[in-house]
Amino acid sequence: MIFQDNVIKEYLKNVYFITGTPCGGKTTISKELAKRHNLFVYDVDEQFANHQKISNSSFQPSMNKVFKDADEFFGRTVEEYKKWLIDNTREQLDFVLLDLIRLSQNQIVLCDCHLTVEEADKLTESSRIVFLIKEPSNLIDDYCNRPDHQGFSDFINSTSDTEKAKAICNVTLKSLNEKRYNDIKNGDYFWIERIDNSTVNETVRKVEQHFGLVGKDFSMDTLEVKKVDKDTDLAEKLIHFVENFSWEDVKEHMLWMLRTWVFTDWETAFVALVDGQIVGMTTIMKTDYYPLPEIYPWVSSVFVSEDYRGHRISKKLIDFANAYAKENGFDRTYIPSEHIGLYEKYEYRYLKDIVNYGNGTDRLYVKELKL
């Protein structure tokens, strides 16, 4: 079965690819990004053994090739070794894509992988991929000196002629990656080259900005969260903010709510402001997009402008809404979401699946408000 590129790209829209050449920093940067933004990392190398178990020698011959020892493994010619590496990557890619489709349906996934420029063209958009590269000479010592490559280091050092094995590896990796390295540098994709004075923080910051995980730099001391009242200048500013924000699925409904001011009793909206400019919003409601009148209050419509994401402004908004709910006598609040791993970091716990008015299924989260 063959899937068209646009279909694959649609199903992988929650996947951000961190790829490039050996020793470019893919694994280090993926792990640091995941730690900073509470994201899930899918490491293709770590999955090889699992994929090998479900592979078939008729369809994935390279993945199933067995070597009796390190001497046989490293005793191949450079061309044999290179072809085996290319075929392994190509055969594993089918398993990888199916895993990514499954894992990314309700969460963002960082994929630490080995894509070529040609493969990137078929699988993703330029805004969701970064190439981390290193000049492909004398790579093997860098590769073997990493703690996460201890298994490979032990393997190559078990050969009867370690220096010869390392030389074959270096020539193979250079031959395999020299064209790839130049294609990346001369292409249209975003790339970062690892050099002697590169730092993890500097590289992570560049990748964060490329992926849109962080926005404008500003002092959090200038951030304010305020309750919005009917017929005020702030209410008018919120209407203008919604008119121009990018969340198309809720825009019209939210504008109707604000223009007619459907809020009753304790229901209201909150906004986050930076230097008087609205950069985010949320609401607290008796009802949401679900036929569940017995469940309330809902913290709903959490949105932060793209330029200001990555500063945990959504947490400030949710915390403010929860404090308001507590002042009004509530001991818990609810948030619906399609995502896994997003609201758990705000101390919400998954309660159950719920069905919205459009017959779609979402996840319901609840937070107990501490006394």
Side-chain angles (χ1 to χ4, degrees), residues 218-271:
F218 69 97
S219 172
M220 285 296 286
D221 294 338
T222 66
L223 179 73
E224 295 180 278
V225 179
K226 292 185 176 181
K227 175 178 175 288
V228 180
D229 294 315
K230 183 181 180 181
D231 296 329
T232 60
D233 289 342
L234 194 55
E236 287 300 315
K237 289 179 71 171
L238 179 55
I239 290 172
H240 181 70
F241 173 74
V242 174
E243 286 174 339
N244 292 280
F245 74 19
S246 61
W247 194 2
E248 297 294 338
D249 289 347
V250 305
K251 178 181 291 189
E252 290 306 316
H253 180 72
M254 182 57 60
L255 286 173
W256 170 79
M257 289 176 61
L258 294 170
R259 287 166 178 163
T260 59
W261 202 260
V262 298
F263 305 103
T264 62
D265 299 329
W266 43 265
E267 292 180 306
T268 193
F270 307 100
V271 294

Side-chain angles (χ1 to χ4, degrees), residues 64-76 155 158:
N64 287 276
K65 187 171 178 59
V66 177
F67 301 89
K68 65 181 181 181
D69 56 25
D71 282 334
E72 181 181 5
F73 184 90
F74 293 106
R76 293 171 289 174
F155 187 55
S158 72

Side-chain angles (χ1 to χ4, degrees), residues 346-358:
Y346 301 148
E347 299 179 352
Y348 278 83
R349 62 179 174 85
Y350 167 73
L351 189 60
K352 61 181 180 179
D353 284 354
I354 53 176
V355 178
N356 58 40
Y357 284 112

Side-chain angles (χ1 to χ4, degrees), residues 30-190:
S30 296
K31 289 180 177 178
E32 184 62 26
L33 279 172
K35 183 172 69 175
R36 293 188 185 189
H37 299 282
N38 194 33
L39 300 175
F40 178 81
V41 174
Y42 179 89
D43 186 325
V44 169
D45 291 339
E46 290 181 355
Q47 296 301 319
F48 185 82
N50 295 329
H51 295 153
Q52 192 177 45
K53 289 176 184 177
I54 58 176
S55 65
N56 184 298
S57 58
S58 297
F59 300 107
Q60 292 88 27
S62 292
M63 290 179 67
N64 287 276
K65 187 171 178 59
V66 177
F67 301 89
K68 65 181 181 181
D69 56 25
D71 282 334
E72 181 181 5
F73 184 90
F74 293 106
R76 293 171 289 174
T77 66
V78 168
E79 286 306 312
E80 288 173 334
Y81 192 1
K82 185 169 77 168
K83 182 180 185 306
W84 178 80
L85 287 171
I86 292 171
D87 289 346
N88 254 296
T89 303
R90 185 183 298 118
E91 289 172 6
Q92 191 189 5
L93 186 58
D94 288 343
F95 297 101
V96 170
L97 294 178
L98 290 174
D99 282 351
L100 291 176
I101 289 170
R102 173 174 55 84
L103 292 168
S104 67
Q105 292 311 293
N106 295 300
Q107 63 181 335
I108 291 175
V109 174
L110 293 176
C111 181
D112 174 357
C113 59
H114 317 282
L115 294 184
T116 64
V117 169
E118 292 77 18
E119 288 166 337
D121 290 340
K122 296 178 180 180
L123 300 178
T124 191
E125 304 294 345
S126 59
S127 61
R128 297 199 296 270
I129 187 168
V130 61
F131 286 85
L132 303 181
I133 60 176
K134 186 177 188 295
E135 200 280 320
S137 296
N138 301 316
L139 294 171
I140 200 64
D141 286 334
D142 284 349
Y143 193 85
C144 287
N145 289 335
R146 287 174 45 174
D148 56 330
H149 293 159
Q150 187 61 48
F152 182 84
S153 179
D154 292 343
F155 187 55
I156 198 168
N157 281 295
S158 72
T159 58
S160 55
D161 189 340
T162 302
E163 292 307 312
K164 180 180 178 182
K166 287 186 175 181
I168 290 171
C169 257
N170 268 324
V171 174
T172 301
L173 291 176
K174 182 174 182 180
S175 174
L176 181 63
N177 289 284
E178 202 161 32
K179 180 179 183 302
R180 183 177 299 181
Y181 171 83
N182 289 323
D183 286 346
I184 292 166
K185 293 192 75 169
N186 295 323
D188 295 327
Y189 286 107
F190 179 67

